[in-house]
Amino acid sequence: MKRLVSGVKPTGEVHLGNYVGAMRRFVTLAGQYESFVFLADYHALTTVRDAALLKKQTRELAAAYLAVGLDPKKTVLFRQSDVPEHAELAWILNCVTPMPTLQRAHAFKDAAAKKKEINVGIFDYPVLMAADILMYRAVVVPVGKDQVQHVEIAREIAKRFHTEFGAEVFTLPEPLIEKGTETVPGIDGQKMSKSYGNVIPLFASAEETKKRVMRITTDSRAPAEPKDKKDTLYALHKVFSSAAAMKKVDAAYDNGGLGYKELKELLADEINAQLSDIRARYDDLIADPKKLDKVLADGGECARAEAQKMMKTVREAVGLQ
Ligand code: ADP
Ligand code: TRP
């Protein structure tokens, strides 16, 4: 079976963009690929400065993966930092990565444009990500659109390594994007993101979900008027609403007849109905840290064995004894 690798950073509340753009797909793709899915805690260290918080968010993300239906018997689920070989491979890849490749990465350019303080970890982020992917010979990397450039950089680094060392040790990965959910908008219309404060959390209560949904930005059209299908509310309905609800929504957008208030209430109901089982499972999982630790320990052992095999080949190829 071909391999799949993907990860999410434990940097805050998991939101609906992470769920549909990434996590939900890891579950559906698990039957088609041999999957390695991890908690990117080394990557989280580029921004998190609180040890207790990082641990808490890592545990919450592990519970989230299981709650959305990831089966640790089918998918190797692990913490990145349980496989320190990722950091070793990143160092070796650093040595073949041209500075300009990282200087043109969107995430770095955005941070630089906003005059944010940038540590070396942030600058080097794509190289660690390349190590995560190349380590397991991934053929596909399911991610949202914002991560596509990072997967392309991983390909570029692999090719460069092959040319410079004359050894084809890596597999060239492809990003796997899902049409329609590649960029889920947040309640303000920008990409839903932890960093923009515009999220609908995956594990909020039904009431909290409704509150956030009611804050979705809309224009001032009256209930009787037709509405613009390019707006955020419609985009979110497209992602979350059932066929039956979509019929009503389409009718209201085409011909008028429902106000934004009703359309938002309908969206909140649809999201809450779709997520109620996942949310109940999450509550059980988070109450059982021993189970989470066991799953991650088993996954870590399996991933590490694979990583050690790859590192033997890489060390051989570059001349480390
Ligand atoms: P955030 O932008 O909130 O910090 P992450 O960078 O941790 O999210 O993203 C984790 C995964 O979820 C990545 O694969 C990313 O592409 C995907 N993702 C994040 N936000 C969205 C979104 N709004 N729409 C689709 N996918 C998303
Ligand atoms: N950079 C990804 C994000 O912000 C997380 C990530 C780290 C990742 N390593 C990866 C995703 C490897 C896919 C493959 O969401």
Side-chain angles (χ1 to χ4, degrees):
M1 251 208 264
K2 288 180 179 167
R3 292 234 172 127
L4 171 157
V5 166
S6 198
V8 173
K9 281 174 292 174
T11 45
E13 260 181 336
V14 177
H15 56 76
L16 296 186
N18 301 141
Y19 174 56
V20 298
M23 298 174 79
R24 179 171 78 176
R25 300 170 59 218
F26 305 162
V27 180
T28 47
L29 292 165
Q32 294 168 48
Y33 297 96
E34 188 182 351
S35 302
F36 291 77
V37 170
F38 62 96
L39 301 93
D41 53 356
Y42 280 147
H43 276 107
L45 265 189
T46 58
T47 55
V48 182
R49 291 293 174 268
D50 178 335
L53 182 66
L54 183 58
K55 282 189 189 159
K56 175 172 174 283
Q57 288 173 343
T58 304
R59 215 179 312 120
E60 287 170 355
L61 183 57
Y65 273 131
L66 298 178
V68 302
L70 207 77
D71 178 354
K73 288 195 205 78
K74 289 193 199 142
T75 298
V76 182
L77 178 64
F78 65 104
R79 252 185 312 242
Q80 188 184 29
S81 64
D82 281 341
V83 188
E85 285 75 9
H86 287 228
E88 186 190 0
L89 181 56
W91 175 257
I92 295 173
L93 298 179
N94 273 333
C95 298
V96 299
T97 305
M99 287 276 283
T101 300
L102 301 185
Q103 277 161 338
R104 68 177 162 72
H106 301 312
F108 167 70
K109 282 206 316 208
D110 290 353
K114 288 183 186 144
K115 301 226 176 344
K116 283 195 189 157
E117 193 178 288
I118 298 164
N119 57 52
V120 175
I122 289 180
F123 183 65
D124 201 32
Y125 187 111
V127 179
L128 179 58
M129 187 159 157
D132 301 336
I133 296 168
L134 300 177
M135 184 73 89
Y136 303 96
R137 300 196 169 87
V139 171
V140 293
V141 184
V143 281
K145 200 171 165 192
D146 59 317
Q147 295 297 317
V148 168
Q149 189 191 34
H150 287 153
V151 182
E152 282 162 0
I153 292 176
R155 279 178 77 90
E156 209 178 295
I157 293 175
K159 284 192 206 155
R160 189 104 188 181
F161 183 100
H162 292 164
T163 327
E164 297 198 0
F165 288 105
E168 298 261 330
V169 301
F170 300 122
T171 300
L172 300 185
E174 297 273 2
L176 197 63
I177 301 294
E178 188 177 68
K179 266 197 105 43
T181 59
E182 66 269 51
T183 312
V184 177
I187 59 174
D188 60 354
Q190 296 186 79
K191 176 194 115 116
M192 188 178 290
S193 171
K194 279 168 271 196
S195 1
Y196 301 153
N198 62 358
V199 308
I200 303 174
L202 179 55
F203 299 111
S205 64
E207 302 85 81
E208 179 59 27
T209 302
K210 186 166 171 199
K211 252 196 227 162
R212 305 270 177 125
V213 168
M214 298 315 282
R215 281 172 31 209
I216 292 170
T217 313
T218 44
D219 58 30
S220 55
R221 282 171 225 226
E225 288 179 82
K227 293 166 180 67
D228 184 358
K229 285 191 172 169
K230 289 199 194 70
D231 75 7
T232 308
L233 183 55
Y234 187 81
L236 288 168
H237 267 296
K238 272 294 253 193
V239 177
F240 294 103
S241 290
S242 60
M246 247 3 250
K247 259 195 176 161
K248 286 192 210 164
V249 175
D250 274 322
Y253 270 75
D254 289 336
N255 312 312
L258 282 181
Y260 288 125
K261 180 165 175 288
E262 287 81 12
L263 286 163
K264 287 178 182 177
E265 284 166 352
L266 181 59
L267 177 62
D269 290 346
E270 290 287 307
I271 292 175
N272 285 332
Q274 209 184 109
L275 299 180
S276 67
D277 290 353
I278 292 179
R279 287 170 169 173
R281 273 204 297 272
Y282 179 82
D283 292 340
D284 291 344
L285 285 158
I286 207 75
D288 191 354
K290 282 216 181 83
K291 180 175 173 181
L292 294 176
D293 287 345
K294 172 85 172 81
V295 167
L296 294 179
D298 291 350
E301 212 172 294
C302 179
R304 187 147 197 216
E306 281 303 311
Q308 282 172 341
K309 272 194 247 162
M310 174 54 98
M311 286 317 294
K312 198 160 178 281
T313 312
V314 172
R315 289 170 142 260
E316 185 70 29
V318 301
L320 295 171
Q321 307 226 314

